[in-house]
Amino acid sequence: MGPLQHSESAAVIVTATAPARRRASSPATVWDRVKRTRAAVFGLVVVAAVIGGALLAPWIAPYDPARQFTDGLSPEGRPLPPSGRFWLGTDLLGRDLLTRLIYGARVSLLIGVLANAAALTIGTLFGAAAGYFRGWVSTVFMRLTDMMMAFPALILAIALAAILRPSLWIVAMVIAMVNWVWIARIIYSQVLSTSQREFIEAARALGVPTWRIFWKHLFPHLLPILLVWGTLGVSTTVMFEASLSFLGVGVRPPTPSWGGTINESQSYFLEAPWLVAFPGAAILLTSLAFNLVGDTLRDAIDPQLRSR
Amino acid sequence: MGVYAIRRLAQSVVILLGVTVITFALLYALPADPARMIAGRSATADTVARIRSELGLDQPLPVQYARYLARLVRGNLGRSYAQKIEVTDLLRSRLAATFWLMLGGIAFELLIGLPVGMLAALRRRSAMDQSVMVGAFLGVSAPQFVVGLFLLYWLAYRWGLFPLGGYGSPAHLILPAFALGIAGGGWYARVMRSAMLDVIHQDYVRTARAKGLGETRVILKHAMRNALLPVVSMVGLDIGTFMGGVVVVESVFSWPGIGQLAWQAIQIVDIPVIMGVVVVSALAITTGNLLADLAYPLLDPKIRYG
Amino acid sequence: MRQGWIGLAALVGLALLASLVAPTWGQNRGDSMIVTFKDDISTLDPAIGYDWQNWSIIKSIFDGLMDYEPGTTKLVPHLAESFTVSADGKSYTFKLRRGVKFHNGREVTAADVKYSLERTLNPKTQSPGAGFFGDIAGTKEFADGKAKEVSGIKTADKYTIAFTLSKPNAAFLHILALNFAHVVPKEEVEKTGADFGHKPVGTGAFKVKEWVLGQRLVLARNPDYFVKGRPYLEEIVFQVGVEPNVAFLKLQRGEVDILGDGIPPAEFTKVMNDAKLRALVAVGDQLQTGYVTINTQVKPFTDVRVRRAVNMAIDKQRIIRIINNRAVPAVQVLPPLMPGYDKEYKGYVFDVAQAKKLLAEAGYPSGFSTVLYANNTDPNPRIAQAIQQDLAAIGIKAELKTLAQSTVIEAGGTKGQAPLLWSGGMAWIADYPDPNDFYWPILSCASLSPGTWNWAWYCNQRVEKMVEEADALVQASQAAAREAKYRDIYRAVMQDAPWIPIFHEKRYTMHTVRIGGSPLLFNDPIHIPVHYTEVRVVQ
């Protein structure tokens, strides 16, 4: 039980005065810590590579992502496994999978980050407000989340697909609308308990403004769970985009996305495993990379959780 | 607590009303005509019009909704457009299966997520922690259809340990529940780890430890109880969403749950069935979240409502 | 740490427990057959059921005056013993077979035939098939509530029923073979009311034994069936909610006998390359054409040259490769199995240069932008993308809208909305094996109105006249002349190019070795996936 013994008494400091914890997280030390962690470096490299790939797709991708090669399918119509010509094999239409993954990073990254961030923001605001203020605010906000959850997102997506011009913004909006509720519920429970702790009550008694209590005292305690949610959310959001695009809300074929590639070829995975394995690996690697970076950043910022 | 629960149940009526109104309006706005779906390829325009008026779809939206509501308060959810059968019968036939899958799914999520998350927190930064993290992301990222088919192919088809999908015995439940557990377990593990890390540094845990209580006791009695708060919220949420149906897992494992019913109904715009599913899941969600809210004070006595 | 081990131990324990139960699943089934479906079976009411899945199940529970010789499209009297057609083709008289009994034991009479048809025509029944019988005199008055009965349906005596038509229709006998004209007992319908579709009582080879919603439907043999020696099977079990990929695994393990939804596309090439699996597959034609409708009312498709150009732009062979060669290229509206199919007709040959030339002549040398609608279920988005690429090759930029089926149907039936629409996933197979079934509902001026399936919004009065003339040739002796006329009709239609015919899908039915009978039965053009009354257990 090593780490436990080594924990410092930072919590005591926190209870007394908040500014004490600021000292540890000046920008220089944050960077120092990030640099020191190999995992974080690896994460950064992956994130940078994905962003780079998305931006530079037209220059680095071997082919046109929409091009259906006549020799990209076997005479029986089977996709081709990885080869010298098609490094990661071809998809069900005889298109180059590598090319489609590189281009697919654009949609998937944008959705994974954008929709996720929107959901996190809305969810945190609602959850924290409901947990902190109690009373009618809590009732109204939390019943609103109940209602949003019961609401069939699928039907909303179908309706939007038919009414509006499909775009990534709508996808992001729908995903945010569906996902924020979860975050709100979790944050609500966290805040319910955290806001009863001594240091918050102390701050309240000292007349610290509410926004300051939120930002300085409450938020750092929510950060770990938000990071969990945000990084795991990258994967699920990318897959969610695919289902929404399937219903016609999002990108239109032949625009590639990682989730879309998995979605259209998942029933083939016993016969053509590369069609699921490569985009799946891309999603897994990207969300892991975000997690590594996020974890390290959080450790650096939050001294209470630091253990050396 | 009792008063609180009663007030919450009363609020769920409002939620139900709100959800049905919005869904109803949305279905109405949907550019898809159930009458055309029923009528099929060869029907004349005349036939389509007659079917539409028999279904009452030619009435204005408020009239349709008022009629629906009037029936709903008497417990009548109407008849399926496509199957011509009472929606209550359709729902009843799938409720038990949905319930068992919900229980099984949550059981596996907790079984996988909690111990693994706790270990990761206690052995922070160890190889164990790292592999739990990778495993969690793998579980969350893996498409459920692929996981399901993979489990069926190896465990059921090749090794014959389990039935190839279907419903009827506890053996049938294990694989679909496990598939749900793999995905959800990743979330639970990460949340549990993060909550544990937060809690074990807090004063009362420190105090408990200082009082000379055994380490296991400290963790189980004091740390874990508080760390369970977000987990309880997630269970509450899972009760609601799983009771609303889990389309992919049900479909791969031939599980006769509500998700398959909903999916088919949406394909053909079977409005009464869609509304029925929405009502069930609204009730389940309010119940799940209410249970979670009632559980918080048991874990953290400082939490009080009112 | 202990929790982890307990969890693992529990999992292992459960697996062991499960394996104890496992061996009982693949037991000997006797004279029973198991069929799997992904979707639920909807109503079995013959007046209402109208999807490919319940169509043949209904046919095994109910009977009509006419039926087809198993495995063929040849009409034969069924509940009728004999019939006569007047010289002008406007009156039909049927003599009923005597002693045919409903499952409840009562004998079928002419009054039941009349009742059943009037039930289909009654708007309260909400039958999708009411429109098929519009040629019977007095249907409109009856549907409007102005008449208590249909004047064109008369019962002369207990075993004689006569129909009077307002205009001759050569396909009328086919129409009487439709499920919508199958005979139901009035007393049972009145007893069960709206639930009749779930408690069906007919005259057919099977009756419903058990129906567990969302799980299975079990049919049991009707020992009193009027066709001697039929059915062969004691019992048919339909398992629903079974994913095709999983059904395929079940079939290989011998747990099910027939893949109701066919071979899953992902496994198709594997099956065809494996001698053992290949032996379980029956291949045949079906009455189906996959086509793209070209909206003749939307610019620039109002110009026939543009429509012809897009017809020449599509590489059908490549599209067929995408679906693992499970089809033959289509050059015309009718499928090869249909009378009136034109073997000589070559259609628009794939020729990009010629297509570009035509587009230039029409004033679009550099193409234009348009929209292609398609259903979002596999393989339709893929086929649509192949079409999109082919159109791009002649400069036409088609935006792809792959949407839920209901939305696509709505778009097709809305005036001026869908310029191009790939019909796959919605192109139902023919209702009956007569060439006019491909004209009236989807290409005629009569169907040119919102909400119908005339998605090309096509209407050519000259062609309409030709069809009317052809349909007046009702006598058996005129069949050849009528077929020739239909060849002209569909040549004329293709001249106007309201469709791009893409392919005719072949049918691949997979079954275990236990199930046998004439190979024709596994590709019956009317009964899908198999003819339930005629197949038998051979092992």
Side-chain angles (χ1 to χ4, degrees), chain B residues 94-109 144 166-167 172-181 238-239 241-260:
Chain B
R94 287 169 182 270
L95 226 46
T98 309
F99 180 76
W100 287 117
L101 186 56
M102 182 268 287
L103 275 192
I106 292 177
F108 270 107
E109 285 179 333
Q144 287 194 330
Y167 173 67
H172 288 92
L173 175 62
I174 296 172
L175 285 188
F178 185 57
L180 282 179
D238 276 342
I239 291 175
T241 36
F242 288 0
M243 280 310 285
V246 276
V247 181
V248 176
V249 168
E250 284 176 18
S251 148
V252 176
F253 292 96
S254 316
W255 191 262
I258 244 170
Q260 287 210 63

Side-chain angles (χ1 to χ4, degrees), chain B residues 219-240:
Chain B
I219 288 162
L220 287 185
K221 274 218 94 125
H222 297 269
M224 205 172 105
R225 264 177 71 163
N226 244 281
L228 277 178
L229 272 175
V231 171
V232 164
S233 318
M234 284 170 71
V235 171
L237 290 165
D238 276 342
I239 291 175

Side-chain angles (χ1 to χ4, degrees), chain B residues 55-254:
Chain B
L55 295 176
L57 292 170
D58 51 351
Q59 302 290 322
L61 178 64
V63 176
Q64 286 187 45
Y65 182 73
R67 283 184 186 173
Y68 183 81
L69 211 57
R71 276 188 282 124
L72 186 65
V73 294
R74 277 178 274 135
N76 181 353
L77 289 167
R79 240 171 224 281
S80 154
Y81 290 165
Q83 308 207 39
K84 307 286 176 201
I85 190 169
E86 294 283 348
V87 173
T88 29
D89 289 341
L90 280 174
L91 291 174
R92 199 179 303 136
S93 71
R94 287 169 182 270
L95 226 46
T98 309
F99 180 76
W100 287 117
L101 186 56
M102 182 268 287
L103 275 192
I106 292 177
F108 270 107
E109 285 179 333
L110 295 175
L111 220 56
I112 297 169
L114 296 197
V116 154
M118 222 158 68
L119 281 181
L122 299 182
R123 295 279 157 93
R124 191 149 185 263
R125 292 271 162 75
S126 65
M128 162 87 186
D129 185 21
Q130 306 283 349
S131 41
V132 164
M133 176 185 68
V134 175
F137 274 85
L138 194 63
V140 170
S141 305
Q144 287 194 330
F145 184 89
V146 172
V147 170
L149 208 52
F150 185 85
L151 289 176
L152 277 179
Y153 184 78
W154 286 104
L155 298 181
Y157 177 69
R158 295 298 286 267
W159 299 341
L161 295 174
F162 295 96
L164 264 168
Y167 173 67
S169 75
H172 288 92
L173 175 62
I174 296 172
L175 285 188
F178 185 57
L180 282 179
I182 289 176
W187 287 97
Y188 280 87
R190 297 294 293 169
V191 167
M192 187 66 196
R193 174 182 179 274
S194 134
M196 276 300 275
L197 283 179
D198 187 32
V199 164
I200 49 184
H201 296 283
Q202 276 174 29
D203 309 337
Y204 62 90
V205 175
R206 221 182 301 278
T207 317
R209 201 178 284 125
K211 273 196 262 170
L213 290 174
E215 194 60 36
T216 321
R217 236 186 107 102
V218 170
I219 288 162
L220 287 185
K221 274 218 94 125
H222 297 269
M224 205 172 105
R225 264 177 71 163
N226 244 281
L228 277 178
L229 272 175
V231 171
V232 164
S233 318
M234 284 170 71
V235 171
L237 290 165
D238 276 342
I239 291 175
T241 36
F242 288 0
M243 280 310 285
V246 276
V247 181
V248 176
V249 168
E250 284 176 18
S251 148
V252 176
F253 292 96
S254 316

